[in-house]
Amino acid sequence: IIVENGQVIPSTTLNDFASSWESTIFPTVTSYFGSTPDVDNNCQVEIIVFSIDGAGGIGGYFVPGLSSSTDSLFIDIDDLSWRNTIIAHEFQHLLHNARDPFEFIWIDEGAADMAAYLCFGVTSTLTGHANAWSQNSNMSVRWWNQRIADYGAGFLFMMYLSDKLGGASSISALVANTDTGGSAIEDLASNPPPGSTPIGITMSDIFANFTAAVALDSAQGAFGFSNIAMTAGCVTGYICRVQMSGYRDEWQSTWVSPTHELEGWGMRAYKFAGGTGAPLNLMVQPTHFGVAGTVMAKDASTGTWTMSKLRIDSATGAGTGLVHGFGNTTDEVWVIAVSYTHLTLPTKRIV
């Protein structure tokens, strides 16, 4: 640990740095993201503590441009109250850069937040990131704009891959794969270890299952998380499910949602209940081509979820679905709309 001249850190803080690094951060993060590169042959990772921009700003960083000569992490002395989360996050960046330096930012940042979660569980930083996206899930998972929600989207997606595709060994394989973005994820999903849960082998199918999981958090197969305890509402101290963009449980007339924007690789979730037993007709009408999505229907007697894809009209780009026995054999339905381009959903017509 190297401290800027003139700065003073209490001995209790320094001791916590050392003990947290040795007992938690180093063994946990290396088990998922690989061994330390040790480019300077000194068997050390330098943690440089100095004044960056004051409390609550940039907590710390890793500099890829220095990675060929030193294994160093930087942390703001004014953000030592959440030092361990910062170090776990930045240490992941160091390890990821050593194996896959050109990986897309959304994967690298998602993995860095995952490293902090694996080490210290739910923190205010992680809930802030994750819930920012859960409350604005129309924002893209894959288009990085350095918003708080972008960190949360990447974190939840990486946690989903870890949960369904084998944990540490699979994440290590993903980090070691120098293919970038969706290509590396498809490689992993196409060759999962024994005991993995099938989530598809194309990014569109993987994303469809992910969107169902963050909306429903069911215990059934691909449609939930076993490594995050998610809450229905977004409350302090917990990571919440994706918040609904619409809900309807009264069926005396046709329901049309407000206009909703949807970024590429974002999602909108709509929940429907209280059916009369008649078929439920669904339509998603976008302003541009590129909409896709799924219909999730829950069996009233078994509680089992069934996923079906929206049927996309090649002439108009609209998506449609039909659920029989709504309110009889099926008691709950979700429509999850996704897009691979930026568009708006001016009407969401449910009859």
Side-chain angles (χ1 to χ4, degrees):
I1 298 173
I2 301 171
V3 181
E4 182 181 13
N5 285 339
Q7 300 286 1
V8 177
I9 299 178
S11 59
T12 53
T13 301
L14 291 173
N15 290 336
D16 180 70
F17 255 128
S19 62
S20 296
W21 175 265
E22 292 290 342
S23 65
T24 303
I25 298 173
F26 185 85
T28 302
V29 179
T30 54
S31 70
Y32 274 76
F33 304 103
S35 59
T36 307
D38 195 25
V39 295
D40 46 7
N41 296 312
N42 66 359
C43 300
Q44 294 179 349
V45 174
E46 294 178 347
I47 298 174
I48 300 163
V49 185
F50 71 118
S51 180
I52 299 177
D53 64 351
I58 298 172
Y61 55 80
F62 161 72
V63 183
L66 297 177
S67 62
S68 62
S69 59
T70 181
D71 302 312
S72 297
L73 308 174
F74 300 85
I75 183 170
D76 194 334
I77 195 165
D78 294 310
D79 284 313
L80 292 182
S81 61
W82 52 298
R83 57 191 174 272
N84 291 327
T85 296
I86 296 170
I87 292 302
H89 181 107
E90 301 305 333
F91 187 37
Q92 189 285 148
H93 284 318
L94 186 155
L95 300 182
H96 209 141
N97 181 77
R99 286 157 184 79
D100 193 10
F102 303 110
E103 184 54 272
F104 292 165
I105 297 175
W106 69 275
I107 293 177
D108 189 20
E109 291 293 351
D113 267 9
M114 184 170 78
Y117 177 82
L118 293 169
C119 289
F120 303 110
V122 175
T123 64
S124 60
T125 301
L126 291 177
T127 57
H129 291 180
N131 293 352
W133 184 74
S134 293
Q135 295 175 91
N136 298 278
S137 63
N138 62 297
M139 294 182 178
S140 178
V141 172
R142 300 179 69 183
W143 297 352
W144 183 260
N145 289 292
Q146 207 160 341
R147 302 166 295 194
I148 296 300
D150 294 333
Y151 289 89
F155 163 68
L156 290 170
F157 194 88
M158 291 299 295
M159 289 295 292
Y160 182 71
L161 294 182
S162 177
D163 188 29
K164 303 307 174 189
L165 296 181
S169 61
S170 289
I171 297 303
S172 295
L174 178 64
V175 172
N177 187 337
T178 54
D179 288 348
T180 56
S183 177
I185 292 169
E186 289 175 345
D187 287 346
L188 178 63
S190 298
N191 299 280
S196 297
T197 300
I199 58 172
I201 59 174
T202 65
M203 274 302 294
S204 58
D205 285 346
I206 295 166
F207 191 66
N209 282 306
F210 165 74
T211 60
V214 289
L216 305 176
D217 192 29
S218 166
Q220 180 185 331
F223 303 148
F225 289 77
S226 66
N227 55 358
I228 303 176
M230 305 185 87
T231 57
C234 297
V235 295
T236 302
Y238 295 90
I239 294 173
C240 62
R241 303 199 300 256
V242 160
Q243 300 300 284
M244 295 177 288
S245 293
Y247 173 73
R248 184 73 166 181
D249 63 357
E250 187 277 315
W251 300 103
Q252 294 180 356
S253 60
T254 298
W255 178 76
V256 180
S257 81
T259 297
H260 288 143
E261 287 197 355
L262 183 59
E263 295 180 2
W265 298 94
M267 63 173 287
R268 291 277 186 182
Y270 304 83
K271 179 182 177 182
F272 308 106
T276 63
L280 179 66
N281 293 285
L282 309 159
M283 177 177 286
V284 179
Q285 294 179 297
T287 55
H288 306 289
F289 286 90
V291 72
T294 55
V295 177
M296 303 297 301
K298 187 171 76 170
D299 185 277
S301 61
T302 66
T304 300
W305 289 98
T306 300
M307 172 187 282
S308 60
K309 292 184 178 181
L310 289 174
R311 296 182 295 274
I312 306 302
D313 188 314
S314 60
T316 66
T320 58
L322 177 65
V323 179
H324 292 283
F326 177 53
N328 184 5
T329 56
T330 299
D331 64 356
E332 186 177 326
V333 173
W334 289 68
V335 175
I336 300 174
V338 302
S339 172
Y340 306 122
T341 59
H342 186 89
L343 48 76
T344 57
L345 304 175
T347 57
K348 181 88 174 173
R349 215 174 271 281
I350 311 294
V351 183

